[in-house]
Amino acid sequence: MDDLGRLLLFRDVVDAGGFSHAANRRGLSHSTVSKHVRSLEDALGVLLLNRTSRTMSLTEAGRVVLGHTRELGASVEALHAQLDELRGDVVGELRINSLVHLGSHIVQPAVERYRAEFPRARVQLVLDDGPLHFNRDGFDIAVRVGRNVEGSLTATKLMDNAVCIVATPSFLERAGPLQHPRDLGRVSTVAYRSRQFDITAWSYVEGGEYRSVDVTPVCTVNDGNALLDLCLRGVGACYVSRFAVQPHLDDRTLVQLFPEFELPSFEPVFLFRAPTDRPPRKVRAFTKHLRAVVQGELGVSASGR
């Protein structure tokens, strides 16, 4: 590895928060990454990182080198972006992070479109409902609900996130008439529950005031796709993003309950990327396909930022 490669690897170690994370991002072993950083320190004649068995911190020299390394990295990325523009093609790997249910309904169809247009491109899609570690894990794009993410990232609103309460026709035959959201307290429901969210108080608007009904689910699940599957199997009514159930409403495998009541929307869906003035061509190309899926196949509002 040449000097530029070692400098960029040093940057990755700092951004990833450690040698192991940087090694995973680069597809290298921990010992190889450590060897290259030590080689860089020997070449520069300074110690860049204070290391213990558990912690790592920048030295004063390390902070100086990191600043210059970030500038070098930005120049290299800008060079590749300009060359991509000249070639008029998209190559290399695009790393995407998405919440699980967003991945199924939005991101995976966009991946299909993207690969059809750019067959030489590769995609690594990580579906994860846990916290987003954008820089540490080296993502190019993340698709998440809400803007509560770590770090300084550029956030662009992809779509609104309307909510509806749905159930199967067979479930409604068994449950009997449901005329008001408070009736949900007496029927079987399925709900989303994870370490971050517990959606068992289902909100609605009545007389201009926000109200909610507390449901006692017969089953909770930490995956939006599994939640929808339980509802489709007739296990219970569920409170879910409209984009996920719209096809089932269209073909009448699900019925919307209480359409006369307004339901407060979930937080919008956002696209996150690194805060650069001109993102790489692969990021811009994939964003185009994401918007096409949202506006074309889902027909969801995507205005605003």
Side-chain angles (χ1 to χ4, degrees), residues 54-87:
R54 294 179 178 271
T55 64
M56 177 191 79
S57 62
L58 283 165
T59 64
E60 183 177 356
R63 285 190 290 272
V64 172
V65 172
L66 179 63
H68 287 282
T69 300
R70 291 200 191 284
E71 293 177 4
L72 284 171
S75 295
V76 171
E77 289 165 8
L79 171 61
H80 283 296
Q82 286 184 307
L83 293 176
D84 285 344
E85 293 286 352
L86 291 173
R87 286 192 297 263

Side-chain angles (χ1 to χ4, degrees), residues 4-22:
L4 176 60
R6 285 193 289 266
L7 284 165
L8 296 179
L9 181 60
F10 166 65
R11 177 204 59 182
D12 288 351
V13 168
V14 176
D15 287 345
F19 288 85
S20 296
H21 291 306

Side-chain angles (χ1 to χ4, degrees), residues 158-238:
L158 274 179
M159 67 180 192
D160 296 318
N161 196 1
V163 176
C164 58
I165 302 171
V166 297
T168 61
S170 60
F171 173 84
L172 294 175
E173 288 179 8
R174 299 193 307 270
L178 298 175
Q179 298 178 341
H180 191 279
R182 59 175 169 262
D183 294 338
L184 292 165
R186 64 171 177 80
V187 301
S188 296
T189 55
V190 291
Y192 184 91
R193 178 180 288 159
S194 68
R195 292 179 181 178
Q196 290 81 31
F197 301 103
D198 184 349
I199 306 178
T200 53
W202 295 1
S203 300
Y204 60 95
V205 179
E206 185 176 32
E209 295 184 1
Y210 287 89
R211 305 179 187 275
S212 65
V213 55
D214 292 323
V215 297
T216 305
V218 297
C219 182
T220 60
V221 64
N222 66 343
D223 171 35
N225 293 327
L227 175 68
L228 178 56
D229 186 59
L230 287 168
C231 183
L232 286 166
R233 292 175 184 274
V235 176
C238 73

Side-chain angles (χ1 to χ4, degrees), residues 227-291:
L227 175 68
L228 178 56
D229 186 59
L230 287 168
C231 183
L232 286 166
R233 292 175 184 274
V235 176
C238 73
Y239 185 88
V240 64
S241 292
R242 188 177 188 95
F243 73 81
V245 298
Q246 189 61 57
H248 302 289
L249 294 174
D250 292 340
D251 66 16
R252 300 184 180 180
T253 52
L254 290 177
V255 176
Q256 181 178 354
L257 307 184
F258 322 115
E260 68 274 18
F261 284 86
E262 177 190 350
L263 305 183
S265 295
F266 290 141
E267 290 187 84
V269 177
F270 286 91
L271 168 73
F272 294 93
R273 62 171 176 80
T276 57
D277 292 335
R278 185 167 180 79
R281 181 175 171 82
K282 62 183 179 180
V283 170
R284 289 184 281 119
F286 189 77
T287 300
K288 178 190 70 174
H289 289 294
L290 272 176
R291 292 195 177 281

